[in-house]
Amino acid sequence: MSPLRIRWLGRVTYRDAHACQQAMFERRGDYLLLLEHPHVFTLGLRGDETNILVDPVEVGAEVAYTDRGGDVTYHGPGQLVGYPVMTVAGKRGGGMADTVAYVRSVEQLVIDSLGDLGLPNCGRLDDYPGVWVDPDSDNPRKIAAIGVRLSRTRAMHGFALNVDCDLDWFDRIVPCGIPDKAVTSLAAEGRRATMREVVDEVVARAADRWGAEGVDRADVAWRQRPEDLSPFSRGLGPGDVPGRPVRLQSRMDEAGLSEGLAINGRKPQWMRVPLRTGPEFRRLRSVLHSRNLVTVCEEAGCPNIYECWNEGTATFMINGERCTRACGFCLVDTRKPGPLDHAEPERVADAVEAMGLDYTVITAVARDDLADGGAAGFAAVVDAVRTRTPEVRVEVLIPDCKGDPDALAVVFDAQPDVLNHNIETVARLQRVVRPSAGYARSLAVLARAKAAGLTTKSSIIVGLGETDEEVIQTMADLAAVGTDIVTVGQYLRPTTHHLPVARWVPPDQFEEFRAVGQSLGIAHVEASPLTRSSHHAQRAHAQALASPAGVAGVG
């Protein structure tokens, strides 16, 4: 049996949250995803589009057609959305009687939580789903919408509780198709509570109701400011640690990270890599440089460059060498990117052939300046390599393409042998480690790739200030969305402008990560101090395909 895994995910687009739900719904394990959405109108299976009374584009909202019951509802900032994705004990295998009983259970969770928050006059209204304030009065007011899907004893979707949202948004729709009932919120009822306080109460009640096997909770950072989503400042302000970017220091403080280890401190013996620039290494470097190609091996200062190149393996970096993001661990240049080189796919294919590779990894800088996030570049390189050397296995290590399903589909349709997208770190440290990305978005990218029939892979770097328990939580989340291959390796600090190393993780702990990851249902876990995302990529792919775990699940 496994615990109830509760995740506070912050603000997540509806489509990303839905992709995560769908992946978890298809596997074992009980989750409660708690989050906020940007402005979105959602329509259930029997939803009536005429109940959206405005042009969504004009008011800055998306419209999502979804697979839950009910009509139209609104989600947005200041509203707590809860998605229990779990196995529901019932007598009829998910029939109508079980669905009604489960809906009542979700409603009761919200009713009890509201009582704990000082709003005891909440309950049900005959013939109307959801949770209502003063349901027995002449003026009942809806404070929470309920909409679920229950199939083969697995449930998804859930509730939307109005905490302190702009209620004017509900005037733009006919909420749940009910034209003559008011909508309210905790704040409108005079109960001021922060989102964190509401989440804590819901978590406590969920633990009582669904957490018989224990509760495993992880939260992304609570504080979120729009300016923190832009690239790091490289300047210094008054009071800053010399050599440390302003925003990086601010995020470290919020995440509770210390100064860490001195960058010039002596590394442990297991982190020392011998220099092996033999003839094969020099030949490969000549092949690459003669074709004006960039490898992440060089750009990211990978410690395995000598081993991989001497073995005839390299990871190509396409779409230029300047990244539109500035992650706290990465050495890649963050100046304004230049134009794309449309001859690059053929040069990569030529190098793959000249190097005599059996397996190649294609990665790229993030290109948020491009409409497709650089997706077309990946597809073009896969096609060029397959045309020139059809026997070569191709792995792509992609950015999130801002979660755009159409852009991601371009990469998926190229049918790479492995679709790799790195989550990089645990939920709590996402904003300090990669402020322009998101934990839920990365899970959603992997979930979509798995749904497209691809072998999926992700990577975690450790030694940034996370705990061992948080690493295991992250592996559980990767398993829950079907990730087949996970790599875990030690962080090495590139410069003083980057995050400090918080600890050197010993080799025996990596072995523990490997064992736990495989017990969670991940087909192959590559874990060692020097492991990097592309290290031993060909071996990982082969062993994942041969693993008895098959399709990844979660126990």
Side-chain angles (χ1 to χ4, degrees):
M1 299 296 290
S2 62
L4 172 65
R5 302 189 191 276
I6 302 178
R7 303 291 185 256
W8 163 251
L9 298 174
R11 191 166 299 178
V12 180
T13 65
Y14 188 86
R15 64 193 181 195
D16 284 343
H18 191 254
C20 290
Q21 282 194 82
Q22 285 183 310
M24 293 172 176
F25 179 80
E26 296 297 331
R27 291 167 178 83
R28 303 187 311 276
D30 291 345
Y31 270 81
L32 174 57
L33 307 180
L34 299 170
L35 48 92
E36 293 178 275
H37 287 308
H39 301 297
V40 59
F41 301 129
T42 68
L43 282 154
L45 294 171
R46 293 174 297 279
D48 183 348
E49 291 181 343
T50 63
N51 285 330
I52 300 177
L53 307 177
V54 296
D55 182 343
V57 174
E58 289 184 0
V59 298
E62 291 188 50
V63 174
Y65 299 86
T66 190
D67 52 352
R68 59 160 173 80
D71 203 285
V72 63
T73 193
Y74 159 78
H75 300 307
Q79 181 190 74
L80 173 62
V81 179
Y83 294 128
V85 186
M86 59 181 61
T87 299
V88 177
K91 298 179 180 179
R92 305 196 177 201
M96 182 57 69
D98 289 340
T99 300
V100 171
Y102 176 64
V103 168
R104 291 286 184 260
S105 176
V106 176
E107 288 173 342
Q108 195 60 49
L109 171 75
V110 176
I111 291 168
D112 292 342
S113 299
L114 289 169
D116 296 338
L117 291 161
L119 196 64
N121 52 328
C122 296
R124 300 177 180 86
L125 188 63
D126 290 344
D127 300 324
Y128 295 99
V131 177
W132 299 76
V133 179
D134 294 334
D136 298 325
S137 73
D138 294 331
N139 182 32
R141 302 171 300 284
K142 191 168 192 176
I143 195 169
I146 309 290
V148 305
R149 176 188 173 194
L150 184 60
S151 176
R152 304 187 306 277
T153 74
R154 290 290 286 173
M156 60 184 288
H157 299 293
F159 65 86
L161 171 60
N162 301 330
V163 177
D164 190 7
C165 51
D166 182 356
L167 295 178
D168 288 345
W169 279 89
F170 290 96
D171 294 333
R172 296 162 181 162
I173 61 173
V174 180
C176 302
I178 306 170
D180 59 345
K181 297 290 187 293
V183 176
T184 190
S185 67
L186 268 169
E189 295 297 322
R191 301 296 191 271
R192 291 286 176 180
T194 66
M195 184 61 74
R196 187 166 193 169
E197 289 170 337
V198 177
V199 166
D200 286 345
E201 294 296 347
V202 169
V203 168
R205 286 291 180 172
D208 289 341
R209 183 168 294 274
W210 298 318
E213 302 300 324
V215 171
D216 168 29
R217 176 176 175 180
D219 295 9
V220 299
W222 277 88
R223 189 176 181 186
Q224 182 171 337
R225 300 174 300 184
E227 61 267 32
D228 281 338
L229 299 179
S230 58
F232 288 125
S233 164
R234 293 296 176 185
L236 292 173
D240 292 308
V241 177
R244 179 166 299 156
V246 177
R247 289 178 181 167
L248 178 56
Q249 181 64 48
S250 173
R251 295 186 188 111
M252 285 181 62
D253 292 342
E254 290 174 10
L257 296 184
S258 69
E259 294 301 309
L261 305 176
I263 194 170
N264 57 354
R266 189 173 178 83
K267 295 181 178 67
Q269 182 64 40
W270 64 77
M271 291 303 303
R272 298 175 194 172
V273 182
L275 183 67
R276 293 180 293 172
T277 55
E280 184 65 5
F281 176 89
R282 292 192 294 271
R283 183 185 76 83
L284 296 182
R285 183 170 58 185
S286 175
V287 168
L288 293 168
H289 292 182
S290 68
R291 290 160 174 79
N292 194 30
L293 293 172
V294 178
T295 66
V296 75
C297 319
E298 295 174 290
E299 290 296 308
C302 179
N304 301 314
I305 185 171
Y306 312 112
E307 176 186 358
C308 293
W309 282 24
N310 281 315
E311 291 179 354
T313 300
T315 300
F316 298 94
M317 190 163 72
I318 65 170
N319 291 342
E321 55 190 273
R322 296 181 180 179
C323 186
T324 54
R325 302 184 184 182
C327 297
F329 62 91
C330 185
L331 188 60
V332 173
D333 190 347
T334 58
R335 290 175 295 168
K336 183 178 179 180
L340 294 177
D341 179 355
H342 297 291
E344 185 174 59
E346 286 302 324
R347 291 205 313 277
V348 171
D350 180 55
V352 168
E353 184 177 39
M355 293 166 71
L357 300 181
D358 296 319
Y359 193 99
T360 186
V361 181
I362 310 299
T363 188
V365 293
R367 291 298 302 261
D368 294 328
D369 58 316
L370 303 175
D372 70 348
F378 280 100
V381 171
V382 172
D383 181 65
V385 171
R386 291 255 175 84
T387 299
R388 184 77 68 91
T389 51
E391 71 282 359
V392 172
R393 300 278 188 176
V394 182
E395 175 178 321
V396 294
L397 170 53
I398 68 170
D400 60 30
C401 298
K402 295 182 284 189
D404 181 358
D406 293 334
L408 293 170
V410 170
V411 183
F412 300 164
D413 289 346
Q415 290 293 296
D417 294 283
V418 175
L419 189 291
N420 188 350
H421 173 70
N422 288 343
I423 202 161
E424 306 292 8
T425 189
V426 302
R428 176 174 59 90
L429 300 183
Q430 287 288 314
R431 287 189 61 247
V432 69
V433 173
R434 47 179 208 152
S436 297
Y439 191 73
R441 172 160 293 171
S442 287
L443 291 176
V445 169
L446 293 162
R448 289 192 180 102
K450 192 63 183 176
L454 301 175
T455 298
T456 54
K457 178 179 178 181
S458 193
S459 180
I460 305 169
I461 46 178
V462 297
L464 287 161
E466 74 294 323
T467 66
D468 293 342
E469 180 185 10
E470 287 176 314
V471 176
I472 292 169
Q473 288 174 325
T474 302
M475 287 196 293
D477 296 346
L478 292 171
V481 297
T483 310
D484 299 296
I485 303 167
V486 173
T487 64
V488 187
Q490 170 72 50
Y491 170 59
L492 291 171
R493 187 183 192 184
T495 73
T496 57
H497 282 267
H498 293 81
L499 287 165
V501 174
R503 59 171 177 157
W504 298 113
V505 180
D508 59 348
Q509 184 56 55
F510 284 99
E511 178 57 28
E512 176 71 12
F513 290 148
R514 185 199 64 77
V516 172
Q518 291 184 338
S519 74
L520 290 166
I522 299 169
H524 180 78
V525 179
E526 188 85 15
S528 75
L530 294 175
T531 291
R532 293 297 180 267
S533 184
S534 302
H535 194 209
H536 296 153
Q538 183 174 9
R539 182 179 72 183
H541 174 240
Q543 293 187 3
L545 293 181
S547 169
V551 177
V554 62

